[in-house]
Amino acid sequence: MNYVIERFDQLIAALASPDKRMPSIKKKSDDELAAECRAEKERIRMQIMAEVFTCRDEKALALIIEKYQSTFIRMIDQLYPGPQANAKHDDHAFLIEALHSCLNELLCFIQVHFAKYFNHFQKLPLTNMEGIKTELKPELDRFITAVQVRAANEKLIRLIVQPVEQFISGNTITYALSQYMKGIIDELLTIDLTLPADAVTAALKKILISFNFNSPDVTTYLINELDLLITAEESIQGKLRILKYKLKEMNQVIVKPDYELHSNYPGLKDQLIYWLNEEFSFYQTEQAALIATPDSNINDGKIHTSLSVAKLALIIKLLVADKIIINRTVAPMLRVAAKTFTTLQKEDISFGSLETKYHAPDKSTTSNVRDMLFKWINIVNKL
C-alpha cells in the first residue's frame, strides 16, 4: 500500500515545504500536478479493488480497508493543518483542492463499496468535522428555541442538549457519532410543537429510547421519574398495574439499529425495562406475601380491605350519594372510616388523605371503581 500512495505523500510534503520540493514536482505546474492526482486516484482505486478481490480472509480484508481509511484521513488532515498553516498554501489553493477532492473520493469509495469493513469508530477528517458542526449548530439552536417557547420539560431538554453541545465543541468526532447526532436532531425537529406540553415531553422520551440516547444522566432521570410515579400509588395492585402498562409502552418502542450515543454503555431501553421488571417482580412478591398472611396475624378491631385510599374514599362517596350512609356531616364519618378501615398498603389511614380523595376523586380511580361495580353486578348475578 505504501508504494501505491507514495506520490500523494510526496505532493503533501512538497506543499508543506515548497522549498524542499523534489525536482520532478518543481518542474510541473499546479494544473499538471492536479491532473496527475486524478490519474493517481484511479490507479489507487484499481489497486484497492485488486487487493480486496484477491483476499480470502475476512480479518485480513478488514485490516486492508482500515489501513486505507486511516491513511486517507491522515492525508486529508495534513492538507488542512489549521489556521497556523504555512501562508504559502494560499499560492497552491487549486492543487490543494484537487488533492483533497481525490482523497475524499477514495475515502467515500471504500465507505460505500466496502461498508461492511469500514470502521465507523474512526475519527472524521478535520474538514468533515467542521462541516458537521457548521450544519448542526443552527439546527440545535432552532430546536432549543422551539421547545422553550412550548414550555416543555426544561430539565429533560437540558439533559438532551448537553451531549449535543459537547459534540459540537469537540475535537474528535467519529463517523458513527456524526451519523447519530444528525439523525437524532433531524428527528427532534419533527416533533409537533402544537401539542400540549405533556405530549411534547412524551414524544421526546420516545425519540430518546428509539435512538438509544443512553446518556447516564438521561437514564437516571427517566428511572427516577418512573420511581416517583410508582411511589405515588398507594396500593400494590395499583403499582403492578402501572408497571405493566409502562412495560407494554416501553416494549412497543422500536429501537433504530446501529444508533447509540455511547457504545460502552447498555442500551437505554434495556436499562429501563430491566428496572421495571425488577420492580414488578418485587411488588408481585409483596402482594403474594400479603395475600398469604393468616387472619390471626392481622390487627384486631379494624376492617381490612385490598383497596387503595382513593378507591375506599370514592366508594364511601357513592354510599353517601345514594343515601346508604346518612350521617349529617361528612368529616366525622370520614374520621371513623379512617380509624376503622385499612388498605392493602396501609394499616393506618390518614384522615386528611381520605378526606382529600373523597372530595376530589381522580379520573383513574373513577375508572377503576366503575370496573369494580361492573364486576359486582356479575357477582350478584351469580348469587
Side-chain angles (χ1 to χ4, degrees), residues 310-333:
K311 289 177 186 175
L312 177 62
L314 183 53
I315 290 170
I316 294 171
K317 189 179 184 75
L318 291 173
L319 294 173
V320 171
D322 198 28
K323 295 188 170 39
I324 295 170
I325 293 177
I326 55 174
N327 294 52
R328 287 186 178 183
T329 52
V330 172
M333 177 270 294

Side-chain angles (χ1 to χ4, degrees), residues 320-379:
V320 171
D322 198 28
K323 295 188 170 39
I324 295 170
I325 293 177
I326 55 174
N327 294 52
R328 287 186 178 183
T329 52
V330 172
M333 177 270 294
L334 289 177
R335 288 186 189 279
V336 172
K339 292 177 182 178
T340 306
F341 291 94
T342 69
T343 65
L344 191 61
Q345 190 70 9
K346 294 183 176 181
E347 289 190 1
D348 296 312
I349 300 173
S350 158
F351 162 70
S353 174
L354 187 64
E355 184 180 39
T356 300
K357 288 174 171 57
Y358 175 92
H359 290 293
D362 58 71
K363 289 183 181 179
S364 174
T365 302
T366 304
S367 176
N368 289 332
V369 170
R370 186 185 296 112
D371 292 342
M372 187 187 301
L373 294 176
F374 282 122
K375 183 179 175 184
W376 287 3
I377 292 169
N378 291 330
I379 292 171

Side-chain angles (χ1 to χ4, degrees), residues 32-51:
E32 289 174 314
L33 290 172
E36 191 177 305
C37 286
R38 289 189 285 272
E40 194 73 13
K41 175 194 71 179
E42 291 306 317
R43 189 165 37 170
I44 292 172
R45 194 202 307 266
M46 297 304 294
Q47 177 65 28
I48 293 170
M49 291 175 67
E51 285 187 51

Side-chain angles (χ1 to χ4, degrees), residues 153-164 208 213 215-222 261:
N153 188 318
E154 288 184 15
K155 185 172 183 182
L156 183 59
I157 298 300
R158 284 200 305 273
L159 295 177
I160 295 170
V161 167
Q162 187 178 16
V164 183
L208 294 179
F213 198 92
S215 150
D217 290 337
V218 167
T219 305
T220 302
Y221 174 83
L222 293 178
L261 180 61

